[in-house]
Amino acid sequence: MTLEQARRLPPTVGLMTAARMLGIGRTKAYQLARAGEFPCKVIRIGEGYRVATADLLRVLGVDPDDG
């Protein structure tokens, strides 16, 4: 994913999209999310998890508003 593509992501992304961007595997991503230790803000919706894109970009060192 390019920097420009990352900036065009919707306000939240799925846990696996965020995990891939951070280089985290599926099992570890779910373990971290369940424990409240995922490296960026995770929103629990029913049985699923969503990750705040702006927070994800900040963790990656990208200013979501710069561009």
Side-chain angles (χ1 to χ4, degrees), residues 9-30:
L9 288 170
T12 64
V13 296
L15 184 65
M16 293 319 307
T17 298
R20 278 192 304 275
M21 292 175 73
L22 293 166
I24 299 171
R26 177 183 179 84
T27 301
K28 188 64 171 179
Y30 279 99

Side-chain angles (χ1 to χ4, degrees), residues 8-61:
R8 283 189 265 142
L9 288 170
T12 64
V13 296
L15 184 65
M16 293 319 307
T17 298
R20 278 192 304 275
M21 292 175 73
L22 293 166
I24 299 171
R26 177 183 179 84
T27 301
K28 188 64 171 179
Y30 279 99
Q31 287 174 347
L32 292 171
R34 278 192 298 272
E37 296 177 3
F38 199 78
C40 46
K41 182 177 172 107
V42 174
I43 304 160
R44 179 78 188 245
I45 301 175
E47 295 292 318
Y49 295 96
R50 301 294 292 175
V51 175
T53 301
D55 195 39
L56 172 61
L57 293 176
R58 282 188 200 95
V59 167
L60 292 169

